[in-house]
Amino acid sequence: MSRIIDQVRRYYGPLIVGFDATMWLVASAAAALLRYSRPGDIPWMWALGLGVACAVVYLVIGVPLRLHQGRARTASFDEFRLIGAVAGVTGVLVFLGNVVLNLGDGSRAVPLIAALAFMSLSMGGRTLWRQVRTRERLRAKGGTPALVVGAGDATIDLIKSMQRDPLHQWDPVGVIDDDPRNRHLVLEGRKVVGTVDQIPEKVRLLQAEAVILANPAADRELVRRVNLATDEAQVPLKTVPSTAEMLTDRVGIRDLRDINLTDVLGRNQLDTDVGAIAGYLRGKRVLVTGAGGSIGSELCRQINRFEPAELMMLDRDESALHAVSLSIHGRALLDGTDVVLADIRDVRSLYRIFTDRQPEVVFHAAALKHLPMLEQYPAEAIKTNIIGTRNVLDAALAVGVQRFVNISTDKAANPSSVLGYSKRIAERLTASYADLNTGASLLSVRFGNVLGSRGSVLTAFADQIAKGGPVTVTDPGVTRFFMTIEEACQLVIQAGAIGTPGEALVLDMGEPISILAVAEQLIEQSGRRIEIEFTGLRPGEKMHEELFADSEPQDVRPTHPLISHVPVPRIADDIIDSLPRLGGAQEVTELLARLCDEEQAPSPAPTAGPARTPSVTATG
């Protein structure tokens, strides 16, 4: 049977043309039989000629529409719609021709009836052919029997890919879905056999050797439940990329990968308003500071998909610029205008770049972010996170930037570290500049720890495990918020569309995660016996991070159900000028802490613009 199917597929084009022509003849005969009470009364030669005329007109119309050249998939809705349109036009044209030319004495309604009959016959034949191919694929047993979790489009694509795979690596034996409305559903010949809680039972019953999570939008709770169920069933769990990681909605067996801690901790999907984003990025000149960093590079990759007129990637690290350029363009000659080598501490260089390039949208991701390092060298935090931010704000407003998004951190809420103090002051600076009435929309975005970023806890733990341990955890009770780097950047981009000038946008990141549990799960996945060592909290570290300050409202979500809007107090510009660029660590830290403790109602806004350029020349 498979050999016959292969031969038919080889000559599918000519065969389908012949099939449609034959179906017009059959449809014309059927229409005549329906129109006349007795077969003997039918002018058969006229009916046959009518069928030929319909077939010729149909095939001629179909040529420019590529009806028989693979424009639509066989037996798909697109193909049925196309067949219906061409057949309907054909019936009407032949009917009008018969009326005008008076071709014979037959019933004039026959062409219209024949068109309806042809649609049924043609679509029915294609559906039958598709069913035959599907059944043949289902007979091609082999590969690893697997349960597929999720009854959505991704599962349909995945099962088709498995069935078409010439190596037969996977054999989908059933579908798992929690929705009671899907309990009788059959997807590509595979039935929904149970719910997530029934996975261990169904694995034994169907002798499955793997479970595949085929839900790109799976949230943290679903991933956790499926992970626990597969652990109980003692079978491996595979998954497909999240929607944020995928460039298209198509899912195939090449997308399958092992489940990882990022899936378990961070697949809270953000419902991004793509239309709003595209509206302010497409065709605009966009500049990203810190473009070589974890957040900055992912921002550049996502922004590039919205077709900006120009994407300028600014960083002081040439190797990082090389890496992000390579990830976006597939090549990195570093001789184009898209990469900009500069330091945000160098105010003169920034003004020159902004004046020459005239960016319209700025995402400010450049920052020093390692908490213990900044505790030792707090003056560096002032020079980069505070003065550097003001430099970028000054340059942006000087050239009339339309939107400015400052990337902050949850450590800016009730700050207790130099990193938190400096990022909180950066938020206040951004809010103050938003009051200058320049027409620009300036705001901040605040979120917690990012999975996969350089220096993240996952990276540190993975390195320690690879070296045989021990894995160091500060305290058994310490918790942190987590989100994926893709979703963090979605939030940042979304903020530019929905934020109000001067405020900070905070993402609902779900429940905080135990760092000890993260370490234990990574060790379990490694399959090695690794010790965990508790080192104690370091200066400036909190036991539990916060997303909101005590004085901030926590549930104001006027635009998006997962994004809160909080007001940010302003800060006077002369205070920034008074901050020390040098000095003892304790002295600088105490000054920053005192400044954050004294937050109150809006202070006078700064005076921005090139006038300050000559006097502020901090270069680090």
Side-chain angles (χ1 to χ4, degrees):
M1 183 65 179
S2 60
R3 186 175 300 177
I4 296 175
I5 291 176
D6 288 341
Q7 289 296 320
V8 172
R9 292 181 65 184
R10 183 178 180 182
Y11 300 103
Y12 183 77
L15 287 174
I16 198 65
V17 169
F19 171 76
D20 280 351
T22 303
M23 288 304 100
W24 271 114
L25 298 178
V26 174
S28 296
L33 286 170
L34 289 172
R35 190 66 184 85
Y36 289 86
S37 57
R38 291 184 301 176
D41 296 338
I42 300 174
W44 286 108
M45 291 303 295
W46 172 83
L48 180 63
L50 204 62
V52 171
C54 287
V56 170
V57 173
Y58 176 82
L59 295 175
V60 169
I61 296 176
V63 170
L65 296 177
R66 299 291 187 265
L67 178 60
H68 297 100
Q69 283 78 44
R71 174 170 175 173
R73 296 178 61 192
T74 302
S76 66
F77 176 76
D78 288 336
E79 186 179 48
F80 288 166
R81 184 172 54 185
L82 189 59
I83 289 172
V86 177
V89 172
T90 297
V92 170
L93 290 178
V94 175
F95 166 77
L96 293 175
N98 187 39
V99 171
V100 173
L101 301 176
N102 194 22
L103 302 175
D105 299 326
S107 172
R108 293 177 176 176
V110 168
L112 300 178
I113 300 173
L116 296 174
F118 171 79
M119 292 180 200
S120 299
L121 292 169
S122 179
M123 295 174 184
R126 285 166 166 80
T127 302
L128 180 62
W129 166 245
R130 183 169 178 172
Q131 289 296 321
V132 169
R133 289 176 56 192
T134 300
R135 289 182 179 275
E136 186 64 22
R137 287 199 301 265
L138 293 178
R139 290 194 194 100
K141 298 286 186 180
T144 303
L147 287 174
V148 183
V149 179
D153 292 338
T155 294
I156 296 174
D157 290 339
L158 186 61
I159 292 177
K160 287 179 180 178
S161 179
M162 290 175 173
Q163 293 171 345
R164 287 193 295 263
D165 179 21
L167 300 178
H168 303 300
Q169 302 174 69
W170 297 93
D171 177 21
V173 294
V175 178
I176 296 294
D177 195 89
D178 280 340
D179 193 337
R181 294 172 296 181
N182 294 334
R183 61 180 178 176
H184 302 301
L185 193 63
V186 178
L187 301 176
E188 297 298 314
R190 303 308 186 193
K191 297 180 180 179
V192 173
V193 297
T195 63
V196 170
D197 295 334
Q198 295 175 310
I199 284 178
E201 172 192 342
K202 299 304 177 182
V203 164
R204 291 189 293 270
L205 181 64
L206 299 174
Q207 298 182 333
E209 298 177 12
V211 173
I212 300 170
L213 178 57
N215 184 352
D219 59 21
R220 179 185 302 163
E221 177 60 21
L222 176 59
V223 176
R224 186 190 65 82
R225 289 177 57 217
V226 175
N227 198 30
L228 289 174
T230 53
D231 285 346
E232 181 182 344
Q234 296 184 333
V235 294
L237 175 60
K238 303 285 184 178
T239 188
V240 298
S242 68
T243 49
E245 297 172 298
M246 296 168 61
L247 295 179
T248 68
D249 292 330
R250 291 290 178 191
V251 176
I253 56 175
R254 293 183 179 180
D255 298 310
L256 295 183
R257 58 169 171 79
D258 291 330
I259 197 81
N260 57 43
L261 198 63
T262 298
D263 299 310
V264 177
L265 297 181
R267 296 187 75 168
N268 281 335
Q269 297 300 317
L270 180 65
D271 182 16
T272 305
D273 185 354
V274 176
I277 289 174
Y280 84 90
L281 291 180
R282 181 171 291 123
K284 296 297 178 65
R285 297 182 298 277
V286 183
L287 184 144
V288 179
T289 71
S294 305
I295 293 292
S297 59
E298 180 60 27
L299 267 175
C300 291
R301 284 187 285 271
Q302 293 197 24
I303 292 169
N304 188 62
R305 294 168 54 191
F306 293 103
E307 301 176 356
E310 186 178 5
L311 174 59
M312 294 162 270
M313 300 178 285
L314 185 149
D315 203 288
R316 65 179 181 179
D317 185 339
E318 58 182 347
S319 297
L321 286 175
H322 179 275
V324 66
S325 181
L326 186 64
S327 70
I328 292 176
H329 304 298
R331 57 185 177 82
L333 301 178
L334 298 183
D335 58 355
T337 58
D338 58 334
V339 289
V340 181
L341 187 63
D343 191 332
I344 63 170
R345 294 178 171 191
D346 187 344
V347 65
R348 295 184 184 277
S349 176
L350 277 182
Y351 267 96
R352 184 173 61 252
I353 291 166
F354 274 67
T355 302
D356 291 344
R357 307 297 292 277
Q358 295 288 312
E360 298 169 278
V361 180
V362 172
F363 292 92
H364 177 45
L368 296 178
K369 64 177 184 179
H370 289 283
L371 187 149
M373 184 70 72
L374 295 185
E375 289 297 312
Q376 295 186 66
Y377 306 102
E380 298 304 307
I382 292 176
K383 286 185 271 188
T384 295
N385 295 355
I386 299 176
I387 302 300
T389 296
R390 188 177 70 171
N391 292 343
V392 179
L393 282 165
D394 280 338
L397 293 191
V399 299
V401 160
Q402 299 171 5
R403 297 173 191 262
F404 182 100
V405 180
N406 168 52
I407 299 173
S408 188
T409 170
D410 58 353
K411 292 174 177 59
N414 294 327
S416 62
S417 63
V418 172
L419 172 59
Y421 300 144
S422 63
K423 296 299 284 185
R424 179 56 175 173
I425 294 173
E427 286 185 359
R428 297 179 63 188
L429 260 176
T430 305
S432 296
Y433 274 66
D435 290 342
L436 292 175
N437 297 320
T438 61
S441 177
L442 290 78
L443 49 93
S444 297
V445 183
R446 188 190 301 168
F447 48 83
N449 294 274
V450 175
L451 296 168
S453 65
R454 289 187 295 184
S456 72
V457 67
L458 290 189
T459 305
F461 285 170
D463 289 344
Q464 291 173 338
I465 291 172
K467 294 175 182 177
V471 170
T472 56
V473 177
T474 54
D475 189 278
V478 71
T479 63
R480 293 291 182 264
F481 293 100
F482 286 99
M483 68 187 308
T484 65
I485 193 167
E486 296 85 6
E487 289 155 357
C489 291
Q490 284 185 38
L491 170 65
V492 172
I493 297 174
Q494 181 91 2
I498 68 174
T500 300
E503 67 182 0
L505 275 69
V506 186
L507 177 65
D508 180 355
M509 300 184 66
E511 296 300 318
I513 303 297
S514 165
I515 297 298
L516 177 58
V518 171
E520 290 173 339
Q521 185 155 2
L522 275 175
I523 292 172
E524 181 181 347
Q525 288 184 355
S526 73
R528 305 170 66 182
R529 296 177 63 86
I530 304 290
E531 295 294 324
I532 295 178
E533 180 180 304
F534 297 104
T535 59
L537 290 174
R538 294 168 293 187
E541 283 190 322
K542 297 179 182 178
M543 182 72 74
H544 309 288
E545 292 288 6
E546 305 160 274
L547 291 171
F548 301 91
D550 293 337
S551 60
E552 293 175 340
Q554 301 188 16
D555 224 5
V556 180
R557 308 181 185 193
T559 307
H560 195 287
L562 292 179
I563 301 177
S564 297
H565 298 235
V566 297
V568 178
R570 279 51 174 167
I571 190 168
D573 196 49
D574 57 354
I575 294 177
I576 304 302
D577 284 331
S578 69
L579 291 175
R581 311 296 196 272
L582 300 172
Q586 183 175 353
E587 174 192 354
V588 177
T589 301
E590 290 176 352
L591 176 60
L592 290 175
R594 187 164 61 251
L595 186 58
C596 288
D597 288 341
E598 294 172 354
E599 285 185 9
Q600 49 188 342
S603 302
T607 302
R612 186 170 49 231
T613 304
S615 61
V616 183
T617 58
T619 60

